[in-house]
mmCIF file with all atom_site columns, all heavy atoms in Angstrom:
data_model
loop_
_atom_site.group_PDB
_atom_site.id
_atom_site.type_symbol
_atom_site.label_atom_id
_atom_site.label_alt_id
_atom_site.label_comp_id
_atom_site.label_asym_id
_atom_site.label_entity_id
_atom_site.label_seq_id
_atom_site.pdbx_PDB_ins_code
_atom_site.Cartn_x
_atom_site.Cartn_y
_atom_site.Cartn_z
_atom_site.occupancy
_atom_site.B_iso_or_equiv
_atom_site.pdbx_formal_charge
_atom_site.auth_seq_id
_atom_site.auth_comp_id
_atom_site.auth_asym_id
_atom_site.auth_atom_id
_atom_site.pdbx_PDB_model_num
ATOM 1  N N   . SER A 1 67 ? 116.335 127.119 102.086 1.00 96.00 ? 67 SER A N   1
ATOM 2  C CA  . SER A 1 67 ? 116.855 126.315 103.198 1.00 96.00 ? 67 SER A CA  1
ATOM 3  C C   . SER A 1 67 ? 115.719 125.810 104.082 1.00 96.00 ? 67 SER A C   1
ATOM 4  O O   . SER A 1 67 ? 115.714 124.657 104.520 1.00 96.00 ? 67 SER A O   1
ATOM 5  C CB  . SER A 1 67 ? 117.820 127.115 104.074 1.00 96.00 ? 67 SER A CB  1
ATOM 6  O OG  . SER A 1 67 ? 118.700 127.835 103.278 1.00 96.00 ? 67 SER A OG  1
ATOM 7  N N   . SER A 1 68 ? 114.752 126.689 104.351 1.00 96.00 ? 68 SER A N   1
ATOM 8  C CA  . SER A 1 68 ? 113.617 126.283 105.185 1.00 96.00 ? 68 SER A CA  1
ATOM 9  C C   . SER A 1 68 ? 112.871 125.131 104.528 1.00 96.00 ? 68 SER A C   1
ATOM 10 O O   . SER A 1 68 ? 112.485 124.155 105.180 1.00 96.00 ? 68 SER A O   1
ATOM 11 C CB  . SER A 1 68 ? 112.641 127.445 105.375 1.00 96.00 ? 68 SER A CB  1
ATOM 12 O OG  . SER A 1 68 ? 113.330 128.592 105.774 1.00 96.00 ? 68 SER A OG  1
ATOM 13 N N   . PHE A 1 69 ? 112.700 125.257 103.217 1.00 96.00 ? 69 PHE A N   1
ATOM 14 C CA  . PHE A 1 69 ? 112.014 124.228 102.443 1.00 96.00 ? 69 PHE A CA  1
ATOM 15 C C   . PHE A 1 69 ? 112.747 122.889 102.573 1.00 96.00 ? 69 PHE A C   1
ATOM 16 O O   . PHE A 1 69 ? 112.149 121.865 102.915 1.00 96.00 ? 69 PHE A O   1
ATOM 17 C CB  . PHE A 1 69 ? 111.967 124.678 100.972 1.00 96.00 ? 69 PHE A CB  1
ATOM 18 C CG  . PHE A 1 69 ? 111.349 123.689 100.034 1.00 96.00 ? 69 PHE A CG  1
ATOM 19 C CD1 . PHE A 1 69 ? 110.001 123.768 99.717  1.00 96.00 ? 69 PHE A CD1 1
ATOM 20 C CD2 . PHE A 1 69 ? 112.105 122.686 99.446  1.00 96.00 ? 69 PHE A CD2 1
ATOM 21 C CE1 . PHE A 1 69 ? 109.414 122.864 98.834  1.00 96.00 ? 69 PHE A CE1 1
ATOM 22 C CE2 . PHE A 1 69 ? 111.529 121.777 98.568  1.00 96.00 ? 69 PHE A CE2 1
ATOM 23 C CZ  . PHE A 1 69 ? 110.182 121.869 98.264  1.00 96.00 ? 69 PHE A CZ  1
ATOM 24 N N   . ILE A 1 70 ? 114.073 122.903 102.353 1.00 97.00 ? 70 ILE A N   1
ATOM 25 C CA  . ILE A 1 70 ? 114.843 121.653 102.400 1.00 97.00 ? 70 ILE A CA  1
ATOM 26 C C   . ILE A 1 70 ? 114.795 121.043 103.801 1.00 97.00 ? 70 ILE A C   1
ATOM 27 O O   . ILE A 1 70 ? 114.555 119.848 103.971 1.00 97.00 ? 70 ILE A O   1
ATOM 28 C CB  . ILE A 1 70 ? 116.290 121.905 101.932 1.00 97.00 ? 70 ILE A CB  1
ATOM 29 C CG1 . ILE A 1 70 ? 116.275 122.248 100.429 1.00 97.00 ? 70 ILE A CG1 1
ATOM 30 C CG2 . ILE A 1 70 ? 117.180 120.695 102.189 1.00 97.00 ? 70 ILE A CG2 1
ATOM 31 C CD1 . ILE A 1 70 ? 117.594 122.742 99.888  1.00 97.00 ? 70 ILE A CD1 1
ATOM 32 N N   . LEU A 1 71 ? 115.000 121.890 104.807 1.00 97.00 ? 71 LEU A N   1
ATOM 33 C CA  . LEU A 1 71 ? 114.964 121.388 106.191 1.00 97.00 ? 71 LEU A CA  1
ATOM 34 C C   . LEU A 1 71 ? 113.606 120.758 106.504 1.00 97.00 ? 71 LEU A C   1
ATOM 35 O O   . LEU A 1 71 ? 113.528 119.690 107.124 1.00 97.00 ? 71 LEU A O   1
ATOM 36 C CB  . LEU A 1 71 ? 115.241 122.528 107.170 1.00 97.00 ? 71 LEU A CB  1
ATOM 37 C CG  . LEU A 1 71 ? 116.719 122.931 107.267 1.00 97.00 ? 71 LEU A CG  1
ATOM 38 C CD1 . LEU A 1 71 ? 116.860 124.281 107.979 1.00 97.00 ? 71 LEU A CD1 1
ATOM 39 C CD2 . LEU A 1 71 ? 117.509 121.858 108.012 1.00 97.00 ? 71 LEU A CD2 1
ATOM 40 N N   . ALA A 1 72 ? 112.553 121.412 106.062 1.00 97.00 ? 72 ALA A N   1
ATOM 41 C CA  . ALA A 1 72 ? 111.199 120.911 106.360 1.00 97.00 ? 72 ALA A CA  1
ATOM 42 C C   . ALA A 1 72 ? 110.944 119.582 105.667 1.00 97.00 ? 72 ALA A C   1
ATOM 43 O O   . ALA A 1 72 ? 110.380 118.653 106.254 1.00 97.00 ? 72 ALA A O   1
ATOM 44 C CB  . ALA A 1 72 ? 110.157 121.942 105.920 1.00 97.00 ? 72 ALA A CB  1
ATOM 45 N N   . VAL A 1 73 ? 111.393 119.504 104.419 1.00 98.00 ? 73 VAL A N   1
ATOM 46 C CA  . VAL A 1 73 ? 111.127 118.290 103.653 1.00 98.00 ? 73 VAL A CA  1
ATOM 47 C C   . VAL A 1 73 ? 111.909 117.100 104.223 1.00 98.00 ? 73 VAL A C   1
ATOM 48 O O   . VAL A 1 73 ? 111.375 116.000 104.392 1.00 98.00 ? 73 VAL A O   1
ATOM 49 C CB  . VAL A 1 73 ? 111.458 118.545 102.162 1.00 98.00 ? 73 VAL A CB  1
ATOM 50 C CG1 . VAL A 1 73 ? 111.570 117.255 101.404 1.00 98.00 ? 73 VAL A CG1 1
ATOM 51 C CG2 . VAL A 1 73 ? 110.393 119.443 101.548 1.00 98.00 ? 73 VAL A CG2 1
ATOM 52 N N   . VAL A 1 74 ? 113.172 117.342 104.571 1.00 98.00 ? 74 VAL A N   1
ATOM 53 C CA  . VAL A 1 74 ? 113.972 116.268 105.155 1.00 98.00 ? 74 VAL A CA  1
ATOM 54 C C   . VAL A 1 74 ? 113.393 115.851 106.514 1.00 98.00 ? 74 VAL A C   1
ATOM 55 O O   . VAL A 1 74 ? 113.277 114.660 106.821 1.00 98.00 ? 74 VAL A O   1
ATOM 56 C CB  . VAL A 1 74 ? 115.450 116.693 105.277 1.00 98.00 ? 74 VAL A CB  1
ATOM 57 C CG1 . VAL A 1 74 ? 116.254 115.671 106.067 1.00 98.00 ? 74 VAL A CG1 1
ATOM 58 C CG2 . VAL A 1 74 ? 116.060 116.880 103.896 1.00 98.00 ? 74 VAL A CG2 1
ATOM 59 N N   . SER A 1 75 ? 112.986 116.853 107.318 1.00 98.00 ? 75 SER A N   1
ATOM 60 C CA  . SER A 1 75 ? 112.397 116.515 108.620 1.00 98.00 ? 75 SER A CA  1
ATOM 61 C C   . SER A 1 75 ? 111.126 115.694 108.451 1.00 98.00 ? 75 SER A C   1
ATOM 62 O O   . SER A 1 75 ? 110.866 114.774 109.231 1.00 98.00 ? 75 SER A O   1
ATOM 63 C CB  . SER A 1 75 ? 112.034 117.765 109.418 1.00 98.00 ? 75 SER A CB  1
ATOM 64 O OG  . SER A 1 75 ? 113.080 118.674 109.395 1.00 98.00 ? 75 SER A OG  1
ATOM 65 N N   . SER A 1 76 ? 110.333 116.027 107.450 1.00 98.00 ? 76 SER A N   1
ATOM 66 C CA  . SER A 1 76 ? 109.110 115.256 107.217 1.00 98.00 ? 76 SER A CA  1
ATOM 67 C C   . SER A 1 76 ? 109.454 113.810 106.911 1.00 98.00 ? 76 SER A C   1
ATOM 68 O O   . SER A 1 76 ? 108.825 112.883 107.428 1.00 98.00 ? 76 SER A O   1
ATOM 69 C CB  . SER A 1 76 ? 108.310 115.828 106.046 1.00 98.00 ? 76 SER A CB  1
ATOM 70 O OG  . SER A 1 76 ? 108.048 117.182 106.247 1.00 98.00 ? 76 SER A OG  1
ATOM 71 N N   . GLY A 1 77 ? 110.461 113.628 106.050 1.00 98.00 ? 77 GLY A N   1
ATOM 72 C CA  . GLY A 1 77 ? 110.905 112.272 105.727 1.00 98.00 ? 77 GLY A CA  1
ATOM 73 C C   . GLY A 1 77 ? 111.321 111.526 106.983 1.00 98.00 ? 77 GLY A C   1
ATOM 74 O O   . GLY A 1 77 ? 110.940 110.367 107.193 1.00 98.00 ? 77 GLY A O   1
ATOM 75 N N   . LEU A 1 78 ? 112.092 112.196 107.828 1.00 98.00 ? 78 LEU A N   1
ATOM 76 C CA  . LEU A 1 78 ? 112.564 111.551 109.056 1.00 98.00 ? 78 LEU A CA  1
ATOM 77 C C   . LEU A 1 78 ? 111.410 111.253 110.007 1.00 98.00 ? 78 LEU A C   1
ATOM 78 O O   . LEU A 1 78 ? 111.386 110.210 110.653 1.00 98.00 ? 78 LEU A O   1
ATOM 79 C CB  . LEU A 1 78 ? 113.600 112.442 109.759 1.00 98.00 ? 78 LEU A CB  1
ATOM 80 C CG  . LEU A 1 78 ? 114.922 112.580 108.998 1.00 98.00 ? 78 LEU A CG  1
ATOM 81 C CD1 . LEU A 1 78 ? 115.860 113.559 109.717 1.00 98.00 ? 78 LEU A CD1 1
ATOM 82 C CD2 . LEU A 1 78 ? 115.604 111.223 108.836 1.00 98.00 ? 78 LEU A CD2 1
#
Side-chain angles (χ1 to χ4, degrees):
Chain A
S67 315
S68 310
F69 177 94
I70 292 170
L71 283 166
V73 164
V74 172
S75 313
S76 305
L78 292 176

